[in-house]
């Protein structure tokens, strides 16, 4: 019974993707993006791995793409202009490609292939202010960008972010291209 259920669900998903590529891509991006953020938050708040500045910067593409994909779904449901929906998909694709590049950069910093930003992989900035040097040193916690806090199968979280971001970019761009090829004629 479970194999028939899975086969039926796969057939329905495939049919939905063929008939509604914009909505299917937006739904997939929202679900996978939200799962990725939940995973990052799990590692941060449950396991206790504090994110470095580059890790936090890599989340921005998700903070943009998830609400944008939700707006695409809303736009599909209210009959928004086709070209606006396609443009939004291409914007998600661009954001995820940028994020994949940032993830490659971060992974390279972790593998010591190139230097990272000074604020999280260098000597750090000078301590100044009203506190004594000892108090400043005790209260400052720098999470290093050049040390992977966790790896699985040789990939750090930055490496997995590259794979996820590339997959979401492909989904968004592919759906946008398919939607452009099959666009309805809009009244002027």
């Amino acid at each position: 019974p479970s194999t028939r259920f899975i086969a039926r669900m796969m057939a329905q998903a495939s049919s939905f993707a063929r008939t509604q590529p914009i909505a299917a891509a937006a739904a997939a991006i929202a679900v996978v993006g939200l799962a990725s953020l939940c995973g990052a938050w799990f590692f941060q708040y449950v396991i206790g791995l504090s994110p470095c500045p580059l890790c936090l910067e890599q989340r921005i593409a998700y903070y943009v793409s998830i609400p944008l994909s939700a707006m695409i779904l809303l736009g599909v449901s209210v009959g928004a202009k086709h070209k606006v929906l396609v443009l939004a998909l291409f914007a998600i694709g661009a954001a995820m490609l940028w994020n994949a590049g940032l993830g490659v950069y971060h992974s390279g910093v972790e593998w010591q292939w190139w230097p990272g930003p000074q604020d999280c992989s260098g000597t750090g900035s000078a301590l100044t202010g009203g506190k004594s040097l000892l108090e400043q040193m005790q209260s400052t916690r720098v999470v290093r960008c050049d040390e992977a806090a966790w790896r699985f199968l040789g990939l750090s979280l930055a490496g997995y972010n590259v794979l996820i971001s590339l997959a979401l970019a492909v989904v968004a761009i592919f759906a946008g291209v398919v939607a452009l090829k099959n666009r309805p004629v809009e009244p002027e």
Side-chain angles (χ1 to χ4, degrees):
S2 64
T3 56
R4 276 189 272 155
F5 174 76
I6 292 171
R8 188 174 58 223
M9 292 299 292
M10 294 296 288
Q12 288 175 347
S14 177
S15 174
F16 179 60
R18 274 193 307 278
T19 59
Q20 296 286 327
I22 294 174
I29 291 164
V31 168
V32 173
L34 191 57
S36 299
L37 272 182
C38 287
W41 292 330
F42 175 81
F43 277 98
Q44 180 178 353
Y45 295 113
V46 176
I47 297 187
L49 298 179
S50 296
C52 72
L54 284 176
C55 294
L56 293 173
E57 193 172 338
Q58 288 172 79
R59 295 180 188 181
I60 294 171
Y62 294 98
Y63 295 146
V64 170
S65 297
I66 295 167
L68 188 53
S69 61
M71 290 170 53
I72 291 170
L73 287 169
L74 179 63
V76 167
S77 71
V78 298
K81 290 213 174 260
H82 188 76
K83 59 185 151 190
V84 171
L85 299 173
V86 171
L87 183 63
L89 279 175
F90 286 143
I92 290 172
M96 285 298 157
L97 284 175
W98 173 263
N99 204 42
L102 185 59
V104 167
Y105 170 70
H106 189 186
S107 295
V109 169
E110 291 174 340
W111 286 105
Q112 313 297 314
W113 292 341
W114 44 73
Q118 279 295 97
D119 62 337
C120 64
S121 58
T123 57
S125 59
L127 298 172
T128 59
K131 297 180 183 177
S132 73
L133 180 59
L134 181 59
E135 287 174 332
Q136 290 181 53
M137 289 173 60
Q138 289 173 336
S139 66
T140 302
R141 174 159 158 53
V142 176
V143 180
R144 298 188 56 93
C145 296
D146 57 357
E147 297 173 358
W150 181 86
R151 289 189 191 275
F152 180 69
L153 299 176
L155 286 178
S156 67
L157 292 174
Y160 284 105
N161 179 54
V162 171
L163 299 177
I164 295 166
S165 294
L166 282 175
L168 292 178
V170 166
V171 166
I173 293 168
F174 181 76
V177 169
V178 167
L180 277 178
K181 287 182 179 180
N182 301 329
R183 72 176 173 261
V185 177
E186 294 181 4
E188 294 187 27

